Amino acid sequence: MIGWIFIVVCTLSLIGISLCVVYDKRPRFLRHVTAITILCIWAAALWTLIRRFSEGLGAVAGVNDLAPWGLWIGADVFAGVALAAGGFVIAATVHIFRIERFKPILRPTVLTAFLGYVLVAVALFIDIGRPLSWWHPLVMWQGHSIMFEVTWCVVLYSTVLAIEISPVVLERLGLTRLLRLVKATTIPVVIAGVILSTMHQSSLGSLYLIVPGKLYPLWYSPLLPVFFLISAVAAGMCVVIVESFFSAKILKRGLESSLMAALGKAASFILFLYLLIKFSDLAASGAWDLLYERNLQSNMFLLEMLGGVALPAILLSFQRIRNREKFLLSASLLVMAGIVLNRINVSWIGMSVHDQLNYYPTWMEIALSLGFITAGTIIFFLAVHYLPVFPKTEEEPPEAISAGSKTGLMPA
Amino acid sequence: MNQHTPDMKGFSRRRFLQGVIGGTGLSVITPSSFAKDPGKTSFANTPSVLVDVTRCIGCRACMRACKNANELPDNTDLSEGFPISWEHQELRFDQWTVVNPSTGANANGDAVTRNIKSQCMHCLEPTCVSVCPVGALTKSELGPILYNADRCIGCRYCIMACPFDIPKYEWHSGLSPVVGKCQFCTRNRLSQGRLPACVESCPTGALKFGRRDSLLFEAKARIDSYPDRYINHIYGEKEAGGTAWLYMSDVPFENLGFKSSVETSPMPPLTWDVLSKIPIVAAAMAGLFGTLAWSLNRQEQSE
């Protein structure tokens, strides 16, 4: 009970801090509140970690034999990977499709993706029962397992992201020769990244293809891999919008408004595509009728589809909304919430039998998840502060200069 | 080997692992060697058990025998003689079979109680073996599905994927939890030509061990001889593509709590059909994006 009160207070505090940033309100105590909140979350997360490694998962998490995968898999891993999809989308846009005007946001996006994957890897390390054996799938091959493929893709794609973000560090350290080497391999590395991302984003959905009798038919579909991939692309774009917005506020730099609006438009297209395929599939599979059953599953499904997909898709299709920063931000946040809800629905609500939930997360699971989010955010801003992530455009509008070619970093 | 954690009462982890991992004489076949060509593999010879639900008196002798044979902790009320209470028992990582009374409506609509034994069904084309990323679960040459804790990473995909919800996890172990499920006494008894402990201990003949085809034949003969007594459904004949454990009953299985949502076709192709296409899709994407990037790059340079 005390734990839950603690979680609610910390969450409200984080939301309050974010609102202060959004509305440019900087009360004097903001710094202190931020520091205290984050330290409290980290202390709780550390306590969770100590108990998890000494007493086992059962001591800290609500997971059980009926629900072997809990919030750390559903929200931290599934949603985390999806939210980090912006990395391969923007990298492909700039380096494969050669739409160079997106270059100014390439580095922060790849950095976000890289940090996202590092956190996902840490979450997996904590969640698997025998963390010291995490490397087994790399050596003990079992090519019939989706999990085997996902492990390989995540390890390889994290390496790809590390290579993609390495120029930031190399440039800072002035290692020009190594920098030139990395630069020469950019295009093949980006192509490898796109393939690996496509594979494992979809494969996270394929994990559930094996449970036709368990996953509620509103979510179960042979097209699960397609849904996971498409939704990740849209969500990845919206993460770029949100991340750019907060970077602009906190670092007091200009926002690449036209790029953000373009991303919003693209996300809207993809969300409409998702809706089209999703509802055609529901109609074809006969699961449509389940929408009229007013049970937990259908309510959660409608909340996800209407609030997290349809509403932002419609909002983002209006140019007037896309051009207003705060509306664009709100719609993007809706998309992010929608994808988190989708992954939780698939891994938890949909796997429960009707109104009987098979699992209840503990406050400690949420504390560790909040710990991941805050740690990721702080590492991001530390990296931005010490490394040349953003183009140096304090005075000029970002589009005016091609930041990459000016510093000789990115292949022009 | 594994780190040695403090032993539980009457249960040595080392002995447990020896039981599970040892028996090097038994070679195992990987899923790749059977799932590719299920048609070629005959399952008729698979060691199987026929459970006649109408004959089970619920004495739980099989539970006790299982614990003794596999050196699992006997911390229930089963240690001496007949159970003193009818507490509901759940499968656990260290309790591989349970017998519980279950009440359901029979064909006439009357509520009757039957004793139901649960354990791993030992699928002919096992889901758990196909989903395990490290091959910790394997289908042995004899047929039963075995678990190797030394390979396991604890991802719990087997628990999530099993159509019968059988594998259980050691939730309260910090760094070396195991997945527990019936091993069909493969290494400690079957390989030495002895019956599984539960079958040997059954006093009423509710459990019968034999080749799968002859057990199916016998079950059908029993149903034909007593059509009023048995329902015409052998649970496990087709469920999940067929299992080594077969059940016959006088009460419809779904009324007794058996999972009725299990597909009748084998499960592994559900993911393999997608997985097997990945190399082609990846190669196509590499070609497409490579050409695109290269041509756009050239176009820019020539401009």
Side-chain angles (χ1 to χ4, degrees), chain A residues 261-390:
Chain A
L263 277 177
K265 191 176 180 182
S268 169
F269 271 118
I270 294 168
L271 289 174
F272 276 123
L273 177 71
Y274 180 81
L275 278 176
L276 181 72
I277 305 179
K278 183 72 204 175
F279 281 101
S280 322
D281 182 54
L282 277 186
S285 74
W288 188 279
D289 294 340
L290 293 171
L291 288 176
Y292 303 110
E293 286 194 23
R294 312 247 37 93
N295 57 11
L296 176 70
Q297 278 80 7
S298 72
N299 288 340
M300 293 298 276
F301 180 81
L302 285 176
L303 180 67
E304 172 200 328
M305 294 310 289
L306 299 180
V309 186
L311 177 63
I314 292 167
L315 288 177
L316 288 172
S317 65
F318 291 106
Q319 196 179 4
R320 234 186 284 167
I321 289 178
R322 289 201 302 268
N323 286 342
R324 293 184 61 180
E325 277 183 12
K326 291 205 176 69
F327 282 135
L328 184 65
L329 176 74
S330 312
S332 304
L333 285 172
L334 275 181
V335 176
M336 285 173 64
I339 202 154
V340 174
L341 185 58
N342 170 259
R343 299 312 193 248
I344 288 177
N345 277 343
V346 170
S347 66
W348 178 21
I349 310 290
M351 290 291 282
S352 299
V353 180
H354 300 300
D355 286 354
Q356 264 188 321
L357 288 177
N358 55 8
Y359 146 86
Y360 291 93
T362 64
W363 69 270
M364 285 182 278
E365 283 175 270
I366 296 174
L368 189 67
S369 304
L370 288 179
F372 281 135
I373 296 168
T374 48
T377 313
I378 287 183
I379 298 170
F380 178 84
F381 283 107
L382 282 177
V384 166
H385 185 76
Y386 287 107
L387 300 169
V389 174
F390 281 100

Side-chain angles (χ1 to χ4, degrees), chain B residues 64-72 96 185 188-189 196-198:
Chain B
R64 191 163 59 242
C66 174
K67 297 202 166 203
N68 291 338
N70 297 295
E71 305 189 15
L72 300 168
W96 295 347
C185 290
N188 46 357
R189 299 177 64 96
C198 53

